[in-house]
Structure formats: structure tokens, C-alpha cells
Amino acid sequence: MSLGPAHAPTKSEVAYEALLRAIRTGELAPGQRVVLGALAEQLQMSQTPVRDALSLLAEQGLVIRRPNHTTVIGGQPAERSSEVSMVRSILEPEAAKLAALRGEPGDVAAMAAACDALDAALADGGQAASGDLNARFHLAVARACGSPMLADFVGRVWRQMPLEGLTASGQLARAAQEHRAVLDAVRAGDGDAARALMAEHVGHAARATEDYLRRVAQAAPRP
């Protein structure tokens, strides 16, 4: 068997992941103006890969390019949040069920490691990092399902979530407990329980996000 070299991330992919992480953690906040040259300098790379990354983020609605050549970080309207939650409610419970039925020991270990990392971050008060660790658990479940296509779809949905309501609304401690319950069901090979627990968890996350966005909208200054 002749295998080619493993894929190495391009500079555009590195820039995209860095900017996506900054958006999701709030380091780049909704409405904040971003300048290509300044971003390239911060990322210590040329403007071309950063421009490519911004183009991809714009396609996903995570940044907005205005007619006056100004680029700003996009918000997350309630309609978009509801759609993301709806898609999650379809995909992720099935992924959890399949993970319980098909997951390999290494997959389960990755889920457990994600739980441990989130617990440690919460104990240290690292709310910003906790958002990424929350995503890490869900993506680990998706990878454990045994369906590369389903795992890819779940990953795409998570990339549409620049604002994580659980992080902003202070519900991550509850989420961490629910992650453990899903993990226990997967370990036990109980697909029905894993599916039900993930469905309940995604529902809690959707409500937390909707409540947070409602409060933000109510607090926003009137035009």
C-alpha cells in the first residue's frame, strides 16, 4: 500500500480556525470592526490567507462585509439560532445513539477526555475556554458514531455557532453534567438512553441560547 502524506493545514485554514475560535469565545464580538492588515499582523501571516478566511466566514454569515468596505463581526439573530438548534436536534441524538452502538474504545476515551477538560476549565473559572471544550465533546460524540458523513454534518453545524448561549448564559456547569450522562450511556452501549439524553441536552442548550438572545435584544439601545 502506498499512502500519500497526511494533510497539513493550509495558512488559510489556520487563519480560519483562529478567527472562528476568536468569534466563538467573544474575543471578536458581534458588531466589532476588523481590519485585514491588523488581523494579518496579529496572526503573523500575509493578508492573502486571512482574506480567504474572512471570505469563508462571510459565506457562513459570521462576518459581514458592508458596502463602504468595512468588515464587522456578525451577530447571531434569533432566527439563525433557532435553525441551528433545529438541525442539532435532528443530527446529534442520532449520533449519540450510534456512538453507543458503534463507538470504539478510543472514541469513548476522547469523549471522556473532553468531559474532564471541561470540568477542569469550569473549576478554574475558564469560561472563555469552556466554550471550545463544550464543542469538543459534541464533536467527539459525532466522530464516535461510525458515520463520517454524519460527523461531517455535525461539524458543519457547530461551525455555524459563533455565539454559544450556554457560555454566555452561565449554563455550562449544567451542560458538563449532561455530557457525563451521555458519556455513561455510550459506555454502557445503551443507544436509546444516549439518544434521549442528547436530545434533552440539545433542547436545554437551545432554550438557554434563545433566552440569552432575547435578553440581549431587550437590552440593546433603540434606534
Side-chain angles (χ1 to χ4, degrees), residues 2 15 32 34 39 66 87 97 113 126 153 162 165 173 181 186 201 203 205 218:
S2 177
Q32 179 178 340
V34 292
L39 290 177
R66 293 178 173 166
V87 176
K97 178 177 181 176
F153 285 150
V186 170
H201 174 54
Q218 290 171 349

Side-chain angles (χ1 to χ4, degrees), residues 177-211:
Q177 294 177 344
E178 293 175 354
H179 287 183
R180 287 285 178 188
V182 173
L183 173 62
D184 289 344
V186 170
R187 275 178 169 159
D190 191 337
D192 290 338
R195 186 187 189 285
L197 288 165
M198 182 62 84
E200 183 179 26
H201 174 54
V202 170
H204 289 162
R207 287 189 289 276
T209 300
E210 290 168 7
D211 289 345

